[in-house]
Amino acid sequence: MKTNKMMLMEQNRKKLSVQSMYFNRYLLVRYASALFFFTNLYWFLSLLMSGSSLFVIPLILIITLIASVVEQVKLYSAHTNNARYTKYSFITLLLTNVWLIISISFLSMFHQLYPFLTNQMKYRVFILIVLVLGIVLSAIILRRLKKIKYNEDKHFERIKQYENIIK
């Protein structure tokens, strides 16, 4: 009787281990989502306290990120390679950052978008660097999601090797 329980426990441990490995394929995506969430939350609160009507922009980004986070939480119990909402969320972030760069550089909207900063060159450059980093990170995450979708990521190879070992 004890051996049956031990075998069942070992089988459950292996199943949980594989489930965790599939979930960890999205680890970088979850960290990037958290980074974007808190960055946009800070921007949202700053715009709100400044009385700017453009607080809607980070609010929309936060809502798309929440949809992405909900999808990522669901991935733990029901694994899928196609994280659709997460993909759309990072596409939205990428396009918004491109639009923000254009708005700051060519449309002179710096003060409307960032009323809590003075319109000096050092702050404009700082914001442009942050936006470019956001574009780069979004592109990296989108590439990562594509690799996961087509099982071309390194984690998938490790998972398959582990599954072969435990069988």
Side-chain angles (χ1 to χ4, degrees):
M1 183 149 186
K2 287 186 179 182
T3 57
N4 285 342
K5 278 188 175 182
M6 294 290 278
M7 286 177 52
L8 185 61
M9 283 177 43
E10 183 64 22
Q11 194 175 25
N12 286 338
R13 187 187 64 78
K14 289 177 182 177
K15 181 181 175 186
L16 184 62
S17 180
V18 170
Q19 186 179 11
S20 295
M21 290 175 84
Y22 275 107
F23 186 64
N24 286 338
R25 293 170 81 184
Y26 292 93
L27 189 62
L28 178 64
V29 177
R30 290 195 305 273
Y31 282 127
S33 296
L35 176 69
F36 278 116
F37 176 81
F38 287 109
T39 302
N40 284 299
L41 181 63
Y42 175 74
W43 185 31
F44 169 73
L45 292 174
S46 298
L47 285 173
L48 210 56
M49 288 189 293
S50 299
S52 175
S53 60
L54 294 178
F55 71 88
V56 174
I57 298 169
L59 181 62
I60 291 169
L61 295 176
I62 289 169
I63 291 168
T64 62
L65 283 164
I66 289 172
S68 168
V69 169
V70 168
E71 179 181 57
Q72 290 173 42
V73 169
K74 287 181 182 179
L75 287 174
Y76 188 72
S77 59
H79 175 73
T80 180
N81 287 358
N82 191 11
R84 200 173 73 205
Y85 294 113
T86 303
K87 178 184 170 188
Y88 294 144
S89 178
F90 280 93
I91 289 172
T92 303
L93 288 165
L94 189 140
L95 293 175
T96 302
N97 283 350
V98 169
W99 178 81
L100 288 170
I101 287 174
I102 292 168
S103 298
I104 290 169
S105 301
F106 302 110
L107 302 178
S108 301
M109 291 182 65
F110 184 83
H111 185 67
Q112 290 89 349
L113 291 165
Y114 305 99
F116 46 89
L117 296 173
T118 56
N119 194 358
Q120 295 178 353
M121 185 56 75
K122 63 181 176 180
Y123 295 118
R124 292 172 74 94
V125 169
F126 172 73
I127 293 296
L128 286 173
I129 289 170
V130 169
L131 292 173
V132 168
L133 289 174
I135 290 169
V136 170
L137 184 57
S138 295
I140 289 169
I141 297 301
L142 288 169
R143 184 172 174 252
R144 175 72 171 226
L145 289 171
K146 183 179 178 186
K147 282 186 171 191
I148 290 172
K149 182 177 181 178
Y150 295 111
N151 292 326
E152 296 172 349
D153 58 318
K154 291 178 185 176
H155 292 287
F156 182 73
E157 294 172 19
R158 291 185 195 125
I159 293 168
K160 287 303 174 190
Q161 289 173 353
Y162 181 73
E163 285 177 332
N164 288 335
I165 291 170
I166 64 173
K167 285 186 182 181

